[in-house]
Amino acid sequence: MTPTVSGSRLKSTVAALAADRFAGRRVGTPGGRAAGRWLAGQLRAIGASVTTDEFPVAGVRELYRTPEFAWSAGSTHRRGVHRRNFAEHLVSADLPAPRTGELAVADSDEWRAKWVLAPDLGVAARARFEGAAGLLVPRGTDAEGWMPKMIAGPPVGALPVIAVRTGLHDEMARAGSGTVTASMPLRTVEVIGSNVHGVLREPAAGSPGVLLTAHFDGVGDDPQQRLPAAADNASGVAVVLEAARLLAPLLPDHVGLAASLLDGEEAGARGAAHHAPNVRSGTYVLNVDGAAQLGDGAAVEAGGPAHDLLAALDQTGRETGVPLRAGAMPSDNRRYAAAGLPAIGIGMGMPGYQTPAETADRVETATLVAATRLVVATVLRLAVHSRGLIALPHKDELQREG
């Protein structure tokens, strides 16, 4: 039977994961846990035997109220909009209530109780010693004027630190004075993540197995703002589910097939780190992180003993017409490669990355279909080199529906 790639099913999966009920799918939140349960049901629907495994995730940064920022100097008054004009810095100490202080520039003599406008964190030690109110450091925006959200990074410092949009930071530096009122309700939490694993068939003794992976967690909504996480990585999850559905009836019986939908990637790829040491040695791992906008080609990163996997992917890219380019893919694939498994990460764009603009309508159906075709054909090509050849579908036989 000719395999059919369903564009409508792919888009439906993306829309479902980006919906309000999952609230950005941050690890350890009710929305994230609900998304995991929904995905377990999707795996069962394609015939997988489903298990979950839990793991602790420490050091997650959590905004528990919308932060505030305002600056006044003479007749100039600027009230910042969170993620447009200012955002949390990951080293910031918690500042629950607004704090008001005069503005000081980096070469000012007196910093006590003042908000220090600094080029970077290099002055943090002096600011702490002198009792500054906090630091204001510059940060750029994406092409659409957003400051993307992150939830894991360096250790928390002793002072509130606010990232101010570069243009506003420059304006404040030119003025060199004024009054700043700001809050940063940002705490560090420890949560429990949960991976969702689906096994469609176990490999026969001495035969290869294939593991398809994608992380389903996002950075989570802000207290008063949605971050749908449609590209990163609802799109990759949709591709893995669709590819697993297509591959299950096509692979020879002795070739293993499993799909792992991973939690905690945005907090340091914790789900993959927890899972990778338990994966059967020699399993081929294909990880999809972002399949929203192909552009000039898919970024590919190989790790571990991935020569055969990379050769299959390269040939398949030529045959399916999907351009491939070497590119950094700092995602779950690196955890599997570090565990000694042949692993490849594939990425096809993330418009609106980790901002409120990362909506389901920006995920291209054509890119989802292209990514699915690439994954399916690569796995089938790998199977050709295993015991018992199978007939590979021609690139045009991986039909698109919807």
Side-chain angles (χ1 to χ4, degrees):
M1 181 178 69
T2 301
T4 301
V5 180
S6 173
S8 60
R9 183 165 39 241
L10 285 159
K11 283 288 286 185
S12 177
T13 300
V14 172
L17 285 171
D20 292 355
R21 61 174 168 154
F22 297 140
R25 309 187 307 278
R26 202 209 76 194
V27 61
T29 61
R33 289 189 290 271
R37 291 191 295 270
W38 184 80
L39 288 168
Q42 299 302 300
L43 284 168
R44 291 188 185 98
I46 63 173
S49 174
V50 176
T51 59
T52 60
D53 66 284
E54 295 186 341
F55 52 93
V57 183
V60 176
R61 308 292 275 143
E62 178 179 78
L63 282 169
Y64 54 94
R65 283 197 302 275
T66 300
E68 302 174 44
F69 180 81
W71 167 63
S72 297
S75 61
T76 299
H77 303 281
R78 299 282 184 267
R79 181 168 294 279
V81 176
H82 184 226
R83 301 221 177 281
R84 287 295 196 181
N85 306 113
F86 75 104
E88 61 279 8
H89 195 292
L90 291 177
V91 304
S92 180
D94 184 18
L95 181 61
R99 177 180 291 173
T100 299
E102 293 181 18
L103 180 70
V105 294
D107 58 0
S108 298
D109 293 332
E110 175 60 46
W111 286 5
R112 181 165 297 280
K114 295 182 180 181
W115 284 97
V116 180
L117 195 71
D120 51 44
L121 296 177
V123 300
R126 178 191 165 189
R128 178 185 179 186
F129 179 77
E130 295 193 13
L135 292 178
L136 307 173
V137 297
R139 180 179 168 189
T141 65
D142 67 10
E144 296 167 336
W146 291 102
M147 302 174 81
K149 181 177 182 177
M150 294 173 284
I151 61 171
V156 175
L159 285 173
V161 181
I162 295 175
V164 178
R165 179 177 53 81
T166 300
L168 177 57
H169 195 275
D170 290 345
E171 182 183 356
M172 296 171 73
R174 288 192 294 271
S177 63
T179 301
V180 171
T181 299
S183 68
M184 188 49 64
L186 184 67
R187 60 192 171 200
T188 301
V189 297
E190 181 169 344
V191 300
I192 300 297
S194 181
N195 295 326
V196 184
H197 308 293
V199 177
L200 289 107
R201 64 158 62 88
E202 296 284 358
S207 296
V210 175
L211 174 65
L212 307 179
T213 64
H215 76 89
F216 69 87
D217 64 304
V219 291
D221 289 349
D222 285 337
Q224 295 177 292
Q225 189 161 235
R226 290 251 34 232
L227 281 83
D232 181 24
N233 185 37
S235 62
V237 170
V239 168
V240 164
L241 286 172
E242 183 71 0
R245 181 187 72 85
L246 294 171
L247 284 165
L250 292 176
L251 287 174
D253 291 340
H254 67 279
V255 176
L257 177 63
S260 289
L261 305 177
L262 303 163
D263 204 359
E265 192 272 347
E266 302 294 356
R270 302 294 184 82
H274 177 74
H275 180 234
N278 302 311
V279 177
R280 179 176 176 267
S281 177
T283 299
Y284 294 103
V285 181
L286 273 170
N287 181 69
V288 184
D289 196 348
Q293 193 174 78
L294 180 57
D296 61 356
V300 173
E301 178 180 304
H307 176 78
D308 291 346
L309 181 55
L310 187 59
L313 180 67
D314 180 65
Q315 185 61 32
T316 299
R318 299 172 193 275
E319 293 179 352
T320 59
V322 177
L324 307 178
R325 56 181 175 82
M329 282 296 299
S331 185
D332 294 311
N333 46 286
R334 293 187 175 179
R335 297 292 196 174
Y336 291 100
L341 299 165
I344 283 182
I346 303 170
M348 296 188 183
M350 298 178 181
Y353 176 68
Q354 294 183 347
T355 74
E358 194 186 332
T359 52
D361 61 292
R362 303 187 68 185
V363 177
E364 299 172 348
T365 302
T367 297
L368 291 167
V369 170
T372 304
R373 287 175 169 170
L374 182 68
V375 170
V376 170
T378 298
V379 174
L380 292 177
R381 179 162 293 281
L382 277 173
V384 167
H385 299 292
S386 69
R387 186 182 61 197
L389 298 181
I390 63 172
L392 284 174
H394 186 268
K395 65 178 180 179
D396 296 329
E397 291 179 333
L398 286 171
Q399 303 284 339
R400 169 179 167 179
E401 174 273 318

